Amino acid sequence: MGIFDLFRRKQVDGEATRRAELLRTGRITEGSIFDVITDDSGAITQVFYNYEISGVEYESSQSLDAGQRERSADYYPGARVTVRFNPRQPGNSVVV
């Protein structure tokens, strides 16, 4: 271990931190899945969704985590989903 290793910042996964923060403190609204991406086996790996906050419609996409992939039947196009969002930045959201 070199001297510089003592002062090196540890790498933090920004996406994982953002997602954890939204799941813990984000406000809840209802959204709708309008498109999906599947892998070669047909399992849903990414969803595209929209939701409305204060009369403004937002669209976003998200890669599903391992737990969500196990419940991929819940994320078909047209499905209603729970969305958590940051009230200060409503475009910052995740599908629960």
Side-chain angles (χ1 to χ4, degrees):
M1 179 161 116
I3 186 83
F4 292 111
D5 290 335
L6 295 173
F7 300 106
R8 186 174 296 174
R9 284 189 175 185
K10 294 184 180 179
Q11 297 275 334
V12 176
D13 183 0
E15 178 61 19
T17 303
R18 180 188 77 84
R19 182 175 167 76
E21 183 70 20
L22 284 171
L23 290 173
R24 193 178 45 134
T25 64
R27 295 245 174 108
I28 298 174
T29 190
E30 188 173 85
S32 178
I33 304 290
F34 64 85
D35 198 8
V36 297
I37 294 178
T38 58
D39 62 12
D40 294 336
S41 67
I44 296 173
T45 57
Q46 186 170 1
V47 294
F48 296 86
Y49 61 98
N50 58 8
Y51 57 101
E52 187 174 317
I53 306 296
S54 300
V56 178
E57 187 172 329
Y58 295 90
E59 289 184 0
S60 190
S61 67
Q62 172 183 326
S63 295
L64 298 181
D65 64 22
Q68 290 172 317
R69 286 183 186 168
E70 291 176 6
R71 301 178 288 119
S72 65
D74 295 343
Y75 300 104
Y76 60 90
R80 303 300 288 175
V81 292
T82 301
V83 176
R84 287 208 174 241
F85 69 96
N86 180 339
R88 293 184 181 152
Q89 296 175 333
N92 183 4
S93 64
V94 294
V95 171
V96 179

